[in-house]
Amino acid sequence: MMEEYEKQIEINVSALINKFFVRFISNNKKPKNFYQYSAISSFKGVVENNNMWATHWAYLNDAKELKCGVEIVKKVFLEMERNKKDLKLKSQYFDILKSFVSYLNKDDAFDKTDVYILCFTEKKDQLSQWRGYGRGYNSIVVNYNPACLKIGEHSIGTPLMGKVIYDEDQQKKIMVAYLFRIYKMIDEIHKRFPKQKKAAEAVLFGDFMVGILTLSLFMKEKCWCEEKEWRVILNDGVSNSLDFKETNKGFVPYVKVPIFKEHAIKCIKDVRLPKSSDFTLRKKAIEMLWRNFCSKNGIKKDLVVNQSSISIVY
């Protein structure tokens, strides 16, 4: 049975993450189109299974995805420490916060935190993304209608959708505000739960780490800004759909996300294939797959298949 202090801490930290998410990340106006670069086999899976696969954060293409946000936390914490007296921060509570932040130096700091990610972009035909996220000539860019995606309210346990932040000043603003609020919560739990303060600190630490991970996954270095990326993050209630796909790097954990309000077919606007000498044949196969599925399921909708304007050489 969960203790009262555990319930209160988890509720408060969840509310804090949600507040920061709404204030800094999800308030960007959504574009009319969300594009996703992937293998054509992934497109087939979306159409036939009516779900998308969210990848475990640790298995993203760039192994250093998390580094940007974590480094920002360390930077702003050092500034807090240098100005501790001027900020009137009590050593008793600040030292606890310091132990939380220090844990981020461990290589396995987030090993026990399972968060899954779906990635989209505003760019429909970009060379770097064809090469980075596609599968050579067996790639596809799918154009989804954001209005057809089933994104819940901004709360832990439902998908969190937001635009990736590339501006370092904005990243610092988010993380410094988060650290100050966690400091205040340390003060609060000591006063509210004096007999269970150590146990309460442990609960707060676990939730603190989830918050750092969640916010960090919406932060990338400025050099990636051309991608104009949007992300959907799931950090609870997804273990029932856990599965593994085989790649050249071994197994990659993922979860199946029923993210469409109706059927994926109705959410897909069009698709784009790489420019190639056999584009006509590739296009025909995609159209046959689409018509076959629609026919079997009584759905009437045509699919527009475009060709990339870029001469990609793999």
Side-chain angles (χ1 to χ4, degrees):
M1 184 176 180
M2 185 177 285
E3 298 285 349
E4 180 62 25
Y5 69 85
E6 292 179 305
K7 290 180 183 178
Q8 290 303 314
I9 291 170
E10 291 193 356
I11 289 171
N12 289 339
V13 177
S14 293
L16 173 61
I17 296 172
N18 301 336
K19 177 182 177 181
F20 276 62
F21 187 82
V22 173
R23 179 181 174 188
F24 294 109
I25 298 172
S26 68
N27 59 359
N28 292 287
K29 184 179 180 181
K30 293 183 180 64
K32 294 182 179 180
N33 302 292
F34 271 164
Y35 301 94
Q36 189 176 66
Y37 293 70
S38 67
I40 52 175
S41 58
S42 297
F43 169 73
K44 181 174 182 289
V46 169
V47 170
E48 295 180 345
N49 300 312
N50 196 31
N51 60 46
M52 299 186 77
W53 292 5
T55 303
H56 191 286
W57 71 268
Y59 294 82
L60 296 173
N61 283 22
D62 184 355
K64 297 179 180 178
E65 284 276 358
L66 197 63
K67 184 178 179 181
C68 177
V70 170
E71 290 303 314
I72 291 293
V73 174
K74 294 177 183 178
K75 283 182 183 179
V76 297
F77 180 79
L78 287 176
E79 291 177 13
M80 286 176 66
E81 191 168 32
R82 282 194 292 266
N83 299 294
K84 187 171 66 172
K85 290 184 179 179
D86 293 337
L87 295 169
K88 297 181 180 179
L89 300 175
K90 299 177 183 178
S91 296
Q92 178 186 1
Y93 305 131
F94 187 81
D95 289 346
I96 296 170
L97 178 61
K98 185 174 183 178
S99 70
F100 286 9
V101 175
S102 296
Y103 196 82
L104 297 174
N105 292 316
K106 292 179 174 287
D107 292 335
D108 60 351
F110 295 100
D111 278 6
K112 295 181 180 180
T113 309
D114 295 325
V115 171
Y116 297 84
I117 302 176
L118 285 168
C119 300
F120 299 94
T121 175
E122 297 179 33
K123 307 295 287 186
K124 67 180 179 181
D125 197 12
Q126 191 173 62
L127 177 60
S128 59
Q129 297 201 63
W130 277 112
R131 288 180 167 171
Y133 307 115
R135 295 294 183 274
Y137 287 110
N138 286 329
S139 302
I140 192 169
V141 179
V142 184
N143 179 8
Y144 293 100
N145 180 356
C148 295
L149 297 179
K150 186 170 61 179
I151 305 299
E153 295 300 319
H154 304 301
S155 59
I156 299 305
T158 60
L160 300 176
M161 173 178 279
K163 189 173 184 178
V164 172
I165 298 170
Y166 304 98
D167 180 74
E168 186 173 333
D169 289 338
Q170 181 72 351
Q171 293 167 354
K172 286 182 176 180
K173 183 178 180 181
I174 295 170
M175 288 306 194
V176 74
Y178 183 72
L179 289 181
F180 270 110
R181 188 64 190 93
I182 293 295
Y183 167 83
K184 290 180 181 178
M185 290 183 73
I186 294 170
D187 184 352
E188 290 167 8
I189 64 174
H190 273 241
K191 292 174 180 176
R192 188 169 180 181
F193 308 107
K195 294 182 179 180
Q196 301 98 356
K197 61 184 180 182
K198 285 298 179 184
E201 284 174 22
V203 175
L204 179 58
F205 168 71
D207 291 339
F208 163 82
M209 293 295 286
V210 171
I212 292 292
L213 179 62
T214 302
L215 295 173
S216 293
L217 288 171
F218 283 101
M219 298 179 183
K220 295 181 76 169
E221 294 179 351
K222 193 174 182 180
C223 61
W224 296 100
C225 66
E226 68 168 17
E227 292 188 348
K228 293 191 174 181
E229 185 178 356
W230 287 72
R231 286 184 166 178
V232 175
I233 291 185
L234 302 97
N235 53 11
D236 192 21
V238 294
S239 58
N240 290 337
S241 63
L242 178 63
D243 207 338
F244 300 85
K245 57 185 175 182
E246 185 178 351
T247 71
N248 58 2
K249 296 181 180 179
F251 284 135
V252 171
Y254 70 91
V255 292
K256 298 173 183 176
V257 186
I259 198 171
F260 304 106
K261 288 181 179 178
E262 297 183 62
H263 194 282
I265 287 283
K266 296 182 179 181
C267 188
I268 296 172
K269 290 186 172 182
D270 57 71
V271 300
R272 189 175 300 270
L273 300 175
K275 182 181 286 187
S276 65
S277 58
D278 58 353
F279 168 75
T280 302
L281 281 176
R282 291 173 181 270
K283 175 183 177 183
K284 183 178 179 180
I286 292 289
E287 291 171 337
M288 289 174 66
L289 167 71
W290 184 272
R291 286 197 303 269
N292 183 57
F293 181 85
C294 288
S295 176
K296 287 181 178 180
N297 292 275
I299 299 173
K300 293 183 179 181
K301 185 179 179 183
D302 294 329
L303 177 68
V304 176
V305 182
N306 298 306
Q307 182 174 211
S308 172
S309 63
I310 302 169
S311 297
I312 307 167
V313 179
Y314 291 104

